[in-house]
Structure formats: C-alpha cells, structure tokens
Amino acid sequence: MPAKSEKQRRLMGAALAYKRGENKNASEEVKKVADSMTEEQLEDFASKPIEKKKK
C-alpha cells in the first residue's frame, strides 16, 4: 500500500534509510517509525503509487 501523500512517502523513505543504516542523523519521529515497521513495509509505503490509465 503506497503512501497517500508525498509528505508521508518522504517520511517512510527517511525511515527506510535510517533502518538500513544510511542515515545516522534521523529525527526522533523517523526513528520511531523505523522501529515500528519492517523494512518490507517501509519499502511498500515509500514506493510511488501506480497511476491508473484512463481509457
């Protein structure tokens, strides 16, 4: 389930980077999100939504 907003997607991306050890200077909010979710869940939320084609 991709994030519903760009802001939420950025938060999940930052949490994913922190969880992978790529971001050492994360905020407390990012650390909290990273600790509460698995890497797979964070990847899913951080992905861009697939746009539906109009016919």
Side-chain angles (χ1 to χ4, degrees):
M1 177 177 132
K4 296 195 184 256
S5 69
E6 183 67 22
K7 189 173 182 180
Q8 186 183 36
R9 195 173 70 76
R10 287 183 190 169
L11 173 66
M12 297 301 170
L16 180 60
Y18 174 75
K19 192 161 197 105
R20 290 179 175 170
E22 299 168 4
N23 183 7
K24 303 288 183 192
N25 299 324
S27 69
E28 289 301 315
E29 183 180 10
V30 169
K31 291 177 184 178
K32 188 176 179 182
V33 171
D35 292 339
S36 69
M37 298 177 79
T38 66
E39 194 170 321
E40 185 177 296
Q41 290 172 320
L42 290 169
E43 285 175 356
D44 190 33
F45 270 94
S47 65
K48 286 193 174 190
I50 299 171
E51 294 190 23
K52 296 178 182 175
K53 293 183 180 180
K54 292 185 179 180
K55 293 183 178 182

